Amino acid sequence: MSAEKLDKSKTLFLRKKHVGPSCKIFFSQDPIKIVKAKGQYMYDENGQRYLDCINNVAHVGHCHPDVVQAGAEQMGTLNTNARFLHDNLVLYAQRLQATLPPALSVCYFVNSGNSRNLCPPLNRSSEANDLALRLARNFTGHDDIITLENAYHGHVSSLIDISPYKHHQLPDAELRPSVHVVSAAPGGVHVNQTVHSRIHPFVYTPTSELAMLTNSGGGGYLGTEIQNLFQSSAQAPSPDVYRGRYRADHPDPAAAYADDVRELIDRAHEKGRKIAAFIAESLQSCGGQVVPPAGYFQQVAAHVRRAGGVVIADEVQVGFGRVGSHFWAFQLQGADFVPDIVTMGKPIGNGHPMSCVVTTAEVAQAFASSGMEYFNTFGGNPVSCAIGLAVLDVIGKEDLQGNAVRVGRRLSDLLEALKRKHPLIGDVRGRGLFIGVELVKDRLTLTPATAEAQEVIYKLKEEKILLSADGPHRNVLKFKPPMCFTPEDAELVAAKLDPVLTELEEVLGLKPLDVPNVGKDRSKRTLSDEHQQHHDGIGAPHPASAPKRIRKETNSRITPAAD
Amino acid sequence: MSAEKLDKSKTLFLRKKHVGPSCKIFFSQDPIKIVKAKGQYMYDENGQRYLDCINNVAHVGHCHPDVVQAGAEQMGTLNTNARFLHDNLVLYAQRLQATLPPALSVCYFVNSGNSRNLCPPLNRSSEANDLALRLARNFTGHDDIITLENAYHGHVSSLIDISPYKHHQLPDAELRPSVHVVSAAPGGVHVNQTVHSRIHPFVYTPTSELAMLTNSGGGGYLGTEIQNLFQSSAQAPSPDVYRGRYRADHPDPAAAYADDVRELIDRAHEKGRKIAAFIAESLQSCGGQVVPPAGYFQQVAAHVRRAGGVVIADEVQVGFGRVGSHFWAFQLQGADFVPDIVTMGKPIGNGHPMSCVVTTAEVAQAFASSGMEYFNTFGGNPVSCAIGLAVLDVIGKEDLQGNAVRVGRRLSDLLEALKRKHPLIGDVRGRGLFIGVELVKDRLTLTPATAEAQEVIYKLKEEKILLSADGPHRNVLKFKPPMCFTPEDAELVAAKLDPVLTELEEVLGLKPLDVPNVGKDRSKRTLSDEHQQHHDGIGAPHPASAPKRIRKETNSRITPAAD
């Protein structure tokens, strides 16, 4: 094809030679070369079509002609920085504001997407989330940030960007010299708790102990890494009603998870710390497509605001109508929840690098009063804003929110039907075109079927379907396709998934569940019900036998994960 | 004009309503609305043309048709992330590598431009510089970074991004409680030295003291801000032979400034700290268009490498042929200087958001060996790379490096001639189309003519010329125009600058110097001489009288500064 300029082997050769080896490629054993894309389809160098279930960045469809035209025209007219007045900037800000509650009226335009390091929980950051934390700290005069377990928005802000190491993998030898110092510190926290706070999320880790931890004994690189990691940050449990600490059988998981946040705040206060912000993805994405129980954010917001903090909703992955019923995923919680700051990215420019932070006039004014100028070379340039406007136009003109509702429902119905047949599917959850399918070896113990999830991804690739697996155990199949996804696309994926699951279950010795008419299921139970039943009681005995012939080294292969 | 969609007053109204007030606009008292641009010219809503001397981002000229076409075509074909194989990525990496010394062979593509906070020295950061520091720390296993005074690359990495406050403006009350703690610390540094290390660059400020400083007494926000600011960072004096500690009359300023770095390293070692990297702009840009003396980087590199550290050249402002004689500004130092890591941004995509880090195979391999994946949603996408390739093509096809040599020489000759006439011009320096003109009220005391520099900018705006003033005292007129700048453009600026300087000198009571034939000067002395004469001895008596009628509040107005 004309779009291919080099033989694939030459492309691979040059990539190995000139591109950082830390920049992984999908399906590294047999990577795909994509030369063009249209709508929900991508094409390789041989013209082979792939159904794209993963690229939420190509929000209104790959290479949408309206978006391309808007970008091209503006590129040919003017592309400069936001220190000159330009209509595109203000028109886009106005249009964006109109999608949000009135209080969220002031925009900051930045441009980086999320950069990610596949080493949970130190994963993502973006200029947008960094700026959000800065706004919060400035407004409140407080320092400390509460994030969710498994969160991926660079949750200790840009600090994490230079703190790449897995803190829970630090060798004991590196930690031991510091234990004493930490224990000796006034109000000290035991270092083992501290370092394992990801697993024991109730350990509050203020700056002081960690800072001292690095100064004595440990020294050097790892020390400061740890310090950066924990500085002014604490993690609340992920509000995951399938696998989390309060599950679907809990009488009020929203209140219970929110109470955990309140408790974190109390512990912070006991130590003289003050809360600047709570930041969470409105639906956790890389964290495993987690849908928080309704009312959770309202209650968290009450606790956080009582402590003088603000609430930041990260819509980088899930905003712009993907959830179907609402334009923003935080709105799923109800009209009585309004964050103080919202961050946006990925789909905002349909692939063009741009992102945005929206906040209240009060927060913005406080930031301005600090006397700081904020300038971003590329942020809010006329081309980015022209593209952003075109994306909003297409979402409206093509009723992509309505499509997300309709196709999302069809897809989740089909997946629910598969769940009734396949013991490997532990949970189906999500909203609109943001759906997760959690694979487990055992529905009672919830043993993650990690290798099996990777196998599913590889098998579907052979069927020319691009899907991803993510979550803390990498066992959640993750649907976040371009918003022009059709019912037929959904049916194709379900049809291809069915035999792959059967094959894996045979290997595991799992017996199919006794449900007739799979594939023809028209269950009325949809994912738009706020409270899903997560343990439906359908469960044959599950022998804990090891898989017999799962592809070797599955875990080490790079398969599509979140971007 | 058709490109204007709103009345200017409406644009201003919406900007005030919906765009963060910290995002300042040029000429805030009478901002310019730009609706289109071409080459080195920008046009307002009335069709009025402005000569652009400041937008180095529009490197090959605003809206260059080749670049626009390349971007538009690729946008219509494919725009996705770098986890799929694509020829544009590898072809661009290969082309970029060919401009660099062979050892610099591995690229990482990111996309954020520099975001900037106008509060020196805590100013800029970029994904590129952040990644560079991370690569350095990973490779060396060391922690500490040495930067230059007045450096603007987010020199303590992303940490600074959330540390917006001017540390040297902290009220005494906030600092005093911490002094004792710091003084009591083992190997403690007196806090006044610490906090004022920008002014006393020899104070080495390792993490420990600052961390302790925040824990006791100070607490809260400011405490951690200070900590973030100084963590693992030390500042070396800017190698400024005009205003710095070793000047043009010094027998060997390169060695003297490099020795300062060595001394910083020694002090770090005395405290048990280890140097990860020295990072510097190859020519300091926002720091005041500083040209380091030849041989400086070689000697610094020797000291830094002996300490186990690496050298990072920040080419974000000055790369891609702007200096004319070389493609990269670090090459001005001679072929015997090769950095370990180079960062690029701004001009790389002629306004399209992209940036890049290039390093050696060894550094890249060490980063990969850490087991970390590095992924950036937009970095290295096919559209960015198509645009990057087109920019390289145009630089070559239109001989823009040659143009930078020729027009840069003409411009600097004209500015030197103005210097011989105008006592207000203390120094003219730079390379190619990167030139600074430092205004002083007195050539002996070097009193910065800050208000006068701002006045020049405003007066030139009235003449439809866009120029900026920057540097630590904001008294350096800064030329960094699109590379298609012509000799006629240079002559126009010089001609318009001449009477403005005369007028300001009259206000200040400075008498014009006795040089005939100004404007017709054809001096052979050019800025391509490695060692310029900075004190040429031409200087009439300069009464230190205050300006009589300089526009009020000049300092508070936002005039074009570096972006």
Side-chain angles (χ1 to χ4, degrees):
Chain A
M1 289 180 70
S2 63
E4 190 181 32
K5 294 158 193 161
L6 302 170
D7 185 74
K8 186 173 175 178
S9 61
K10 177 77 174 171
T11 311
L12 262 172
F13 169 79
L14 286 176
R15 176 148 178 150
K16 278 186 188 142
K17 188 170 176 192
H18 291 309
V19 176
S22 308
C23 306
K24 300 297 185 192
I25 201 157
F26 284 151
F27 307 109
S28 54
Q29 294 181 346
D30 180 25
I32 305 176
K33 183 169 182 179
I34 296 292
V35 300
K36 71 169 186 171
K38 195 89 196 152
Q40 67 274 46
Y41 303 111
M42 304 183 89
Y43 300 83
D44 73 12
E45 76 281 11
N46 300 313
Q48 176 64 54
R49 191 181 90 171
Y50 287 82
L51 175 62
D52 180 0
C53 303
I54 55 176
N55 279 301
N56 58 337
V57 172
H59 191 61
V60 301
H62 287 280
C63 304
H64 194 290
D66 293 7
V67 177
V68 172
Q69 191 186 342
E73 280 180 7
Q74 188 59 52
M75 280 174 70
T77 308
L78 174 69
N79 190 15
T80 192
N81 68 61
R83 279 185 171 152
F84 298 101
L85 281 181
H86 197 276
D87 292 336
N88 288 4
L89 176 71
V90 301
L91 288 172
Y92 186 65
Q94 189 183 36
R95 282 281 297 280
L96 206 53
Q97 203 283 308
T99 67
L100 288 158
L104 293 163
S105 65
V106 183
C107 304
Y108 298 84
F109 293 98
V110 289
N111 50 67
S112 86
N114 296 327
S115 57
R116 184 172 186 233
N117 303 297
L118 283 188
C119 172
L122 338 176
N123 284 19
R124 251 175 28 205
S125 81
S126 71
E127 288 184 357
N129 283 329
D130 286 351
L131 177 57
L133 296 187
R134 199 194 294 181
L135 289 170
R137 287 177 160 146
N138 177 78
F139 179 69
T140 61
H142 299 173
D143 230 3
D144 289 14
I145 308 293
I146 300 174
T147 65
L148 291 185
E149 202 183 6
N150 306 321
Y152 289 74
H153 28 232
H155 56 257
V156 236
S157 86
S158 6
L159 296 174
I160 285 303
D161 252 356
I162 57 159
S163 308
Y165 290 94
K166 301 189 189 189
H167 63 287
H168 58 283
Q169 293 194 348
L170 296 175
D172 280 349
E174 289 290 344
L175 295 173
R176 225 169 274 133
S178 310
V179 173
H180 311 293
V181 177
V182 170
S183 300
V189 169
H190 190 271
V191 72
N192 286 336
Q193 287 181 301
T194 302
V195 169
H196 294 130
S197 72
R198 196 174 65 92
I199 297 147
H200 306 291
F202 269 100
V203 177
Y204 189 77
T205 55
T207 308
S208 48
E209 288 82 359
L210 275 303
M212 294 185 66
L213 181 153
T214 65
N215 300 337
S216 49
Y221 189 40
L222 283 170
T224 305
E225 292 302 321
I226 304 177
Q227 177 185 359
N228 291 339
L229 173 63
F230 286 108
Q231 195 165 278
S232 317
S233 162
Q235 285 186 346
S238 169
D240 173 356
V241 293
Y242 178 67
R243 185 181 286 283
R245 72 163 56 192
Y246 315 112
R247 300 186 178 177
D249 57 358
H250 188 282
D252 190 353
Y257 279 115
D259 280 348
D260 283 354
V261 175
R262 184 180 45 70
E263 202 174 321
L264 263 185
I265 294 170
D266 290 345
R267 294 194 184 206
H269 287 172
E270 281 166 20
K271 292 179 178 294
R273 309 290 304 178
K274 288 177 178 171
I275 304 301
F278 170 88
I279 180 170
E281 286 181 283
S282 301
L283 303 175
Q284 274 196 297
S285 177
C286 304
Q289 311 285 92
V290 174
V291 182
Y296 170 68
F297 282 122
Q298 282 89 329
Q299 295 179 66
V300 167
H303 299 322
V304 170
R305 286 171 182 153
R306 202 174 304 122
V310 298
V311 175
I312 303 168
D314 177 342
E315 293 271 343
V316 170
Q317 290 265 13
V318 294
F320 290 91
R322 174 159 297 278
V323 299
S325 58
H326 300 80
F327 200 80
W328 302 105
F330 74 78
Q331 294 170 321
L332 290 168
Q333 293 264 314
D336 56 335
F337 172 59
V338 178
D340 303 285
I341 301 173
V342 178
T343 59
M344 307 161 184
K346 294 190 183 292
I348 190 171
N350 215 46
H352 183 82
M354 64 185 289
S355 58
C356 185
V357 181
V358 186
T359 189
T360 64
E362 292 71 29
V363 170
Q365 197 49 57
F367 193 54
S369 300
S370 74
M372 288 285 298
E373 179 183 347
Y374 183 79
F375 175 65
N376 187 300
T377 302
F378 302 124
N381 71 70
V383 173
S384 295
C385 293
I387 285 173
L389 282 164
V391 168
L392 293 179
D393 285 341
V394 174
I395 292 171
K397 201 166 68 177
E398 301 185 359
D399 186 25
L400 292 180
Q401 264 187 262
N403 194 63
V405 170
R406 290 183 295 274
V407 179
R409 184 178 300 137
R410 179 76 185 123
L411 179 57
S412 54
D413 284 352
L414 289 163
L415 295 169
E416 287 285 350
L418 288 177
K419 178 183 165 193
R420 284 191 288 280
K421 176 179 175 184
H422 292 287
L424 204 50
I425 296 183
D427 194 31
V428 177
R429 57 182 178 254
R431 296 290 182 274
L433 283 171
F434 185 79
I435 298 175
V437 177
E438 180 151 0
L439 301 189
V440 291
K441 290 182 181 173
D442 183 318
R443 286 192 179 180
L444 296 175
T445 62
L446 307 190
T447 311
T450 302
E452 290 73 16
Q454 301 302 311
E455 194 66 15
V456 167
I457 301 311
Y458 262 81
K459 290 283 187 191
L460 287 183
K461 179 210 173 201
E462 290 169 14
E463 300 289 346
K464 314 306 175 196
I465 293 171
L466 301 173
L467 193 64
S468 72
D470 216 322
H473 306 287
R474 302 207 72 186
N475 66 324
V476 181
L477 306 179
K478 189 169 165 182
F479 292 85
K480 48 186 182 88
M483 296 272 282
C484 51
F485 212 66
T486 66
E488 293 73 28
D489 296 327
E491 282 151 19
L492 178 70
V493 178
K496 296 294 188 188
L497 196 52
D498 190 9
V500 174
L501 293 173
T502 300
E503 193 186 343
L504 287 168
E505 284 159 355
E506 281 171 10
V507 172
L508 287 171
L510 296 176
K511 291 202 182 99
L513 305 175
D514 186 28
V515 176
N517 299 325
V518 164
K520 292 169 192 156
D521 182 273
R522 290 294 181 276
S523 164
K524 290 296 169 224
R525 182 177 174 280
T526 73
L527 286 167
S528 54
D529 303 332
E530 280 300 325
H531 292 281
Q532 293 171 52
Q533 296 300 318
H534 284 272
H535 296 276
D536 54 15
I538 306 172
H542 310 301
S545 60
K548 286 172 196 153
R549 53 178 192 82
I550 294 291
R551 201 186 293 237
K552 278 183 185 171
E553 301 178 319
T554 306
N555 280 319
S556 69
R557 292 177 302 163
I558 298 298
T559 57
D563 50 357
Chain B
M1 288 181 72
S2 64
E4 189 183 33
K5 294 158 193 161
L6 302 170
D7 184 76
K8 186 172 176 177
S9 61
K10 176 78 174 172
T11 310
L12 262 172
F13 169 79
L14 287 177
R15 177 149 177 150
K16 278 186 187 142
K17 188 171 175 192
H18 291 307
V19 177
S22 308
C23 306
K24 301 295 187 194
I25 201 157
F26 283 151
F27 306 110
S28 55
Q29 294 179 345
D30 180 25
I32 305 176
K33 184 170 182 177
I34 295 292
V35 299
K36 70 169 188 173
K38 196 89 196 150
Q40 68 276 44
Y41 303 112
M42 304 182 89
Y43 299 84
D44 72 12
E45 76 280 11
N46 301 312
Q48 176 63 57
R49 192 182 88 168
Y50 288 81
L51 174 62
D52 180 0
C53 304
I54 56 176
N55 281 300
N56 58 338
V57 172
H59 191 61
V60 301
H62 288 279
C63 303
H64 194 289
D66 292 6
V67 178
V68 173
Q69 190 186 343
E73 279 180 9
Q74 188 59 51
M75 281 174 69
T77 307
L78 174 70
N79 189 14
T80 194
N81 67 63
R83 279 187 172 150
F84 299 99
L85 281 181
H86 198 277
D87 291 336
N88 288 3
L89 176 71
V90 301
L91 288 170
Y92 186 64
Q94 189 183 35
R95 282 282 295 279
L96 206 53
Q97 202 283 308
T99 67
L100 288 157
L104 293 163
S105 64
V106 183
C107 305
Y108 297 84
F109 293 98
V110 289
N111 49 69
S112 88
N114 296 327
S115 58
R116 182 171 188 234
N117 303 296
L118 283 188
C119 174
L122 339 176
N123 282 21
R124 248 171 32 199
S125 82
S126 72
E127 289 184 355
N129 283 330
D130 286 350
L131 177 58
L133 295 188
R134 200 194 292 181
L135 290 170
R137 286 176 161 149
N138 177 78
F139 180 68
T140 62
H142 299 172
D143 230 1
D144 289 15
I145 307 294
I146 300 174
T147 66
L148 290 184
E149 203 182 6
N150 307 321
Y152 288 76
H153 29 232
H155 55 258
V156 233
S157 85
S158 9
L159 296 174
I160 285 304
D161 251 356
I162 58 160
S163 307
Y165 290 93
K166 303 189 189 188
H167 63 286
H168 57 283
Q169 293 194 350
L170 296 176
D172 281 348
E174 291 290 342
L175 296 173
R176 223 169 276 132
S178 311
V179 174
H180 311 293
V181 177
V182 171
S183 300
V189 168
H190 190 270
V191 71
N192 287 334
Q193 287 183 299
T194 301
V195 170
H196 294 130
S197 72
R198 197 173 66 91
I199 298 147
H200 306 291
F202 268 100
V203 177
Y204 189 77
T205 55
T207 308
S208 49
E209 288 81 359
L210 275 302
M212 295 185 66
L213 181 152
T214 65
N215 299 336
S216 49
Y221 191 39
L222 284 170
T224 305
E225 291 303 321
I226 304 175
Q227 177 185 357
N228 291 339
L229 174 63
F230 286 109
Q231 193 165 281
S232 316
S233 163
Q235 287 186 345
S238 170
D240 174 358
V241 293
Y242 178 67
R243 185 182 284 283
R245 69 164 56 192
Y246 315 113
R247 300 186 177 176
D249 56 357
H250 188 282
D252 189 353
Y257 280 115
D259 281 347
D260 283 354
V261 175
R262 184 181 45 70
E263 203 173 319
L264 263 185
I265 294 169
D266 290 345
R267 295 194 183 207
H269 287 172
E270 282 165 20
K271 292 180 179 293
R273 309 287 306 177
K274 288 176 178 170
I275 304 301
F278 170 87
I279 180 170
E281 286 180 284
S282 302
L283 304 174
Q284 274 196 298
S285 175
C286 303
Q289 312 284 93
V290 174
V291 182
Y296 170 68
F297 282 121
Q298 282 90 327
Q299 294 179 67
V300 167
H303 299 321
V304 169
R305 286 171 182 153
R306 202 174 304 120
V310 299
V311 175
I312 303 168
D314 178 343
E315 294 271 343
V316 170
Q317 290 266 13
V318 294
F320 291 91
R322 174 158 298 279
V323 300
S325 57
H326 299 81
F327 200 80
W328 302 107
F330 74 77
Q331 294 170 322
L332 289 168
Q333 294 263 315
D336 56 337
F337 171 59
V338 178
D340 303 284
I341 301 173
V342 178
T343 60
M344 307 162 182
K346 294 189 183 295
I348 189 172
N350 215 47
H352 182 83
M354 63 185 290
S355 57
C356 186
V357 180
V358 187
T359 187
T360 63
E362 292 71 29
V363 170
Q365 197 49 58
F367 193 53
S369 300
S370 75
M372 289 284 301
E373 179 182 347
Y374 183 79
F375 175 65
N376 187 300
T377 301
F378 303 125
N381 72 69
V383 174
S384 296
C385 293
I387 286 172
L389 282 164
V391 168
L392 293 179
D393 284 342
V394 174
I395 292 171
K397 201 166 69 177
E398 301 185 359
D399 186 25
L400 293 179
Q401 263 187 262
N403 194 61
V405 170
R406 291 182 294 273
V407 179
R409 184 178 300 137
R410 178 77 185 120
L411 178 57
S412 54
D413 284 351
L414 289 162
L415 295 169
E416 288 284 350
L418 288 177
K419 179 183 164 191
R420 284 192 289 279
K421 174 180 177 185
H422 292 286
L424 203 51
I425 296 183
D427 193 31
V428 176
R429 55 182 178 256
R431 295 293 181 274
L433 283 171
F434 185 80
I435 298 174
V437 178
E438 180 152 0
L439 302 188
V440 292
K441 291 181 180 173
D442 184 316
R443 286 192 180 180
L444 295 175
T445 62
L446 307 190
T447 311
T450 302
E452 291 72 15
Q454 301 302 310
E455 195 66 15
V456 167
I457 301 310
Y458 262 81
K459 291 282 189 194
L460 287 183
K461 179 209 171 201
E462 290 169 14
E463 301 289 347
K464 313 305 175 196
I465 292 171
L466 301 174
L467 193 64
S468 72
D470 217 322
H473 306 288
R474 303 207 70 186
N475 66 325
V476 181
L477 306 179
K478 189 169 165 179
F479 292 86
K480 50 187 180 87
M483 295 271 284
C484 51
F485 213 67
T486 66
E488 294 72 28
D489 297 326
E491 282 151 17
L492 178 70
V493 179
K496 297 294 187 185
L497 195 53
D498 190 8
V500 173
L501 293 173
T502 301
E503 194 185 342
L504 286 168
E505 285 159 354
E506 281 170 9
V507 172
L508 287 170
L510 296 178
K511 291 201 183 102
L513 305 175
D514 185 29
V515 175
N517 299 326
V518 164
K520 292 170 193 155
D521 182 90
R522 290 292 180 276
S523 163
K524 289 294 169 228
R525 180 178 173 278
T526 73
L527 287 168
S528 53
D529 303 333
E530 278 302 324
H531 292 280
Q532 293 172 52
Q533 296 301 318
H534 285 271
H535 298 273
D536 54 16
I538 305 173
H542 311 299
S545 60
K548 285 172 195 154
R549 52 177 192 86
I550 293 290
R551 199 185 295 236
K552 278 185 185 169
E553 300 177 319
T554 305
N555 280 320
S556 70
R557 292 176 302 163
I558 299 299
T559 56
D563 48 358

